[in-house]
């Protein structure tokens, strides 16, 4: 599951990086812009790898446990955004992310 969360975090971070770096026109040429942008295609490929990993995770864990665990992506993506994009990390956000982590820990600890 940790590898799945890492894949999701890297995917979101790369998507943000290329979304900011790549100007896109929202018109009829958008499909061609996406199909000819190698970095974005690699990001989409990364998401495909993540989807395959998710299938393996679902074979091992109940959906009622696996899906809420994905909430940890919120925490790891926020940390990556703070580190790589210098997005602000406030006390309020930190407390909210701590609640997410606490909720996931409870899911694994409670019967």
């Amino acid at each position: 599951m940790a590898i799945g969360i890492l894949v999701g975090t890297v995917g979101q971070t790369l998507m943000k990086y290329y979304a900011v770096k790549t100007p896109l026109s929202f018109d009829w040429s958008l499909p061609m812009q996406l199909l000819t942008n190698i970095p974005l295609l690699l990001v989409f490929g990364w998401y495909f790898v993540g989807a395959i990993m998710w299938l393996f995770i679902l074979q091992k864990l109940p959906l009622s446990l696996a899906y809420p665990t994905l909430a940890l992506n919120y925490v790891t993506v926020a940390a990556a955004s703070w580190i790589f994009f210098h997005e602000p990390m406030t006390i309020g956000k930190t407390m909210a992310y701590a609640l997410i982590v606490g909720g996931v820990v409870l899911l694994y600890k409670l019967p």
Side-chain angles (χ1 to χ4, degrees):
M1 192 72 194
I3 294 172
I5 291 168
L6 177 65
V7 167
T9 301
V10 170
Q12 284 296 316
T13 305
L14 289 173
M15 184 69 78
K16 170 69 175 181
Y17 176 78
Y18 288 114
V20 170
K21 188 176 179 176
T22 306
L24 295 174
S25 301
F26 293 100
D27 58 20
W28 62 271
S29 67
L30 181 61
M32 190 55 73
Q33 292 174 57
L34 295 175
L35 290 173
T36 58
N37 188 316
I38 300 301
L40 278 178
L41 289 175
L42 292 173
V43 171
F44 295 146
W46 186 259
Y47 275 111
F48 180 72
V49 169
I52 291 171
M53 291 183 70
W54 182 242
L55 291 173
F56 286 111
I57 290 168
L58 290 177
Q59 288 179 342
K60 304 292 182 193
L61 291 175
L63 183 60
S64 61
L65 186 60
Y67 198 73
T69 304
L70 287 179
L72 293 175
N73 276 327
Y74 293 120
V75 178
T76 57
V77 168
S81 299
W82 178 65
I83 292 167
F84 297 113
F85 305 117
H86 309 290
E87 294 182 8
M89 182 62 66
T90 64
I91 296 292
K93 286 180 182 178
T94 303
M95 290 170 50
Y97 297 133
L99 286 172
I100 292 171
V101 172
V104 172
V105 168
L106 279 175
L107 281 172
Y108 282 88
K109 296 289 184 187
L110 297 177

